[in-house]
Amino acid sequence: MQERLGEFTGRGTPSAFGVVLIKLRNLAQIRASLGHIAGDRLLHNFAKRLNLATHAGDLCGSLGDDSFLYLIDRDVNARAISECCRRLAQELTLEVNLDRSVVQIIPAIGAAMSPADGADPVALIQAAQQALDTAAANGKPFGIAFAEATGSLEASSQPDASPSPERDRAEPSLINERDERRAERRQRVFKRGTMYLRQGDAVIDCTVRNLSASGALLRVDIYFAAPDRFDLLVVGSGSKRAVETKWQSGNDIGVQFLEGSE
């Protein structure tokens, strides 16, 4: 794909085109917990979904072990590319059955545009990577690098505001969390924790940021959509407890301990 990108940038007369970098956020964690064969199957399923999400004749291919590059050379403007990223973020988030586990694939997306963000393949990929990293750090589904998009299109990189079961669940509870509308105050802590998903088939490390007898605030390094219920082990507590997800905002997850799980 870098060679094909070089063909675009090597044209005699500079022309505008978009570069969209797409990565699997949680591939390394899935391989670590489920093995490389399961990771390869997940990557294959993701590639098939990406092929369905792009238009026939578009130039799209792999770039490294966990990355894909999508080149856009029609309707090349900041808003169109931003909307393309939004659509990809929605269509490429999916669940895959891997043996006894159901694993959620979550893409990380960054976009750049030539010639505004660079005139050679390396510069364009770096710009898209930086946009991707910034978006991921802020809990956003995608990021855009081109300068003309930073003003009026800044809101486009926010999570989609259309109704969804996950968002409907998250927003009211998030207000309750921030307003501290709970029966008891939580103690601010900084402890390591482990999230066990689907009967322990998938394991995700987290940090426990505050804690009470009824619940906790967790923070994960890489964004993923938390399931409705899972088991939580706080290092030093000695046992796992079943929890229910009450809200999620980016990498922060508010959970409530379920009765009888001590």
Side-chain angles (χ1 to χ4, degrees):
M1 279 301 295
Q2 253 183 302
E3 292 180 3
R4 298 301 300 274
L5 180 56
E7 295 175 8
F8 273 71
T9 57
R11 295 169 177 172
T13 302
S15 58
F17 64 91
V19 174
V20 181
L21 179 64
I22 306 164
K23 288 192 171 186
L24 276 74
R25 293 177 187 261
N26 48 348
L27 181 60
Q29 288 180 328
I30 291 169
R31 281 178 168 163
S33 59
L34 301 180
H36 281 267
I37 294 177
D40 290 344
R41 285 175 54 194
L42 183 145
L43 194 61
H44 177 70
N45 278 275
F46 183 82
K48 288 173 60 178
R49 176 61 70 92
L50 179 58
N51 184 56
L52 293 173
T54 55
H55 299 288
D58 285 351
L59 188 57
C60 183
S62 61
L63 182 74
D65 183 48
D66 62 349
S67 305
F68 296 84
L69 202 62
Y70 179 30
L71 304 184
I72 302 173
D73 62 351
R74 63 173 180 270
D75 295 328
V76 182
N77 59 74
R79 187 168 296 279
I81 294 176
S82 180
E83 289 304 315
C84 174
C85 289
R86 184 195 302 279
R87 178 179 59 80
L88 290 174
Q90 293 174 342
E91 295 185 13
L92 296 178
T93 299
L94 67 152
E95 289 186 342
V96 176
N97 289 305
L98 297 175
D99 298 326
R100 294 175 301 164
S101 304
V102 178
V103 177
Q104 186 170 42
I105 299 177
I106 304 166
I109 300 173
M113 189 162 66
S114 173
D117 297 312
D120 63 85
V122 173
L124 287 169
I125 292 174
Q126 286 179 343
Q129 178 69 61
Q130 184 175 357
L132 183 155
D133 291 340
T134 301
N138 292 324
K140 297 179 181 179
F142 67 89
I144 49 179
F146 25 91
E148 62 268 37
T150 57
S152 61
L153 290 183
E154 184 176 357
S156 297
S157 63
Q158 300 289 342
D160 192 287
S162 58
S164 72
E166 180 184 338
R167 188 170 293 107
D168 289 344
R169 177 193 71 187
E171 288 183 349
S173 299
L174 176 58
I175 294 173
N176 291 345
E177 162 67 16
R178 288 180 175 174
D179 288 349
E180 297 291 337
R181 298 172 187 168
R182 56 168 71 96
E184 58 185 346
R185 301 284 295 185
R186 292 182 180 173
Q187 179 183 2
R188 295 189 182 277
V189 297
F190 193 83
K191 297 183 177 181
R192 289 186 296 113
T194 304
M195 302 165 63
Y196 294 86
L197 315 183
R198 304 282 179 172
Q199 291 79 45
D201 287 330
V203 178
I204 296 177
D205 292 330
C206 65
T207 303
V208 182
R209 304 305 296 263
N210 63 44
L211 186 65
S212 74
S214 61
L217 168 62
L218 313 178
R219 180 167 295 172
V220 293
D221 291 333
I222 301 175
Y223 172 83
F224 79 105
D228 291 336
R229 295 189 177 190
F230 57 91
D231 291 332
L232 173 67
L233 173 64
V234 179
V235 173
S237 66
S239 62
K240 291 187 289 186
R241 297 187 65 181
V243 300
E244 180 179 15
T245 300
K246 304 302 292 183
W247 59 267
Q248 180 169 6
S249 176
N251 292 21
D252 290 341
I253 305 168
V255 300
Q256 180 178 353
F257 295 122
L258 298 178
E259 294 183 8
S261 63
E262 295 186 29

